[in-house]
Amino acid sequence: MNELITIERIKQLKARYLRGLDTNDWTVFASTMTEDCTAQYNGGKLSFSTRDEIVGFMRENLSGDKVLTLHQGHQPEIELIDDVNARGSWYLQDLVIHLEAAVRIYGSAIYEDNYRLEDGEWKIS
């Protein structure tokens, strides 16, 4: 039963991450990640080595009233490695609308996440 509760907590974590991103709530978005979180997007063309770098990039490129985003995570596969580490994959569908340029971009990808339990909270690492 505890494993199912942990998996559900990780699913809710990913939901907060996506909601924080799409609502431009950078405090919520940042709270979903460890400080030493790393990220690679677009096949590694975009690479970040800290939470602050990730949040800064997203804030700079996806904020404001000129860009609307919708990110959806589907089909989670969560594997608990030990009591404080897990990994997961998610199918991503996203929509980015750049109002000023009148451009609509549809995308998809597979998120490959690592998670770590810090101070009783699961975080993306």
Side-chain angles (χ1 to χ4, degrees):
M1 183 66 147
N2 285 339
E3 286 183 3
L4 292 177
I5 292 169
T6 298
I7 289 170
E8 182 60 25
R9 289 177 65 199
I10 292 170
K11 288 179 181 179
Q12 290 182 19
L13 166 68
K14 189 65 171 191
R16 273 193 313 280
Y17 168 94
L18 297 171
R19 177 176 50 84
L21 179 61
D22 288 336
T23 61
N24 297 171
D25 188 333
W26 305 117
T27 302
V28 166
F29 184 68
S31 76
T32 64
M33 295 175 269
T34 61
E35 284 187 44
D36 63 347
C37 185
T38 62
Q40 293 183 339
Y41 303 99
N42 197 16
K45 293 176 186 170
L46 293 172
S47 192
F48 306 98
S49 57
T50 67
R51 176 181 65 198
D52 290 343
E53 288 180 8
I54 298 165
V55 174
F57 176 83
M58 297 301 182
R59 178 185 287 130
E60 184 176 319
N61 290 281
L62 299 179
S63 281
D65 55 2
K66 295 177 184 168
V67 179
L68 302 173
T69 63
L70 170 66
H71 291 82
Q72 297 178 327
H74 304 283
Q75 299 165 289
E77 298 177 55
I78 310 297
E79 176 188 359
L80 304 179
I81 298 168
D82 56 34
D83 290 344
V84 296
N85 294 286
R87 69 176 143 244
S89 66
W90 299 77
Y91 188 92
L92 167 72
Q93 288 181 293
D94 68 339
L95 168 64
V96 178
I97 301 171
H98 194 289
L99 299 171
E100 212 170 63
V103 173
R104 185 181 305 183
I105 302 166
Y106 294 96
S108 65
I110 302 292
Y111 269 104
E112 296 287 343
D113 292 340
N114 291 307
Y115 308 101
R116 187 167 65 227
L117 187 64
E118 288 189 346
D119 299 322
E121 296 282 330
W122 283 96
K123 307 266 182 164
I124 300 167
S125 61

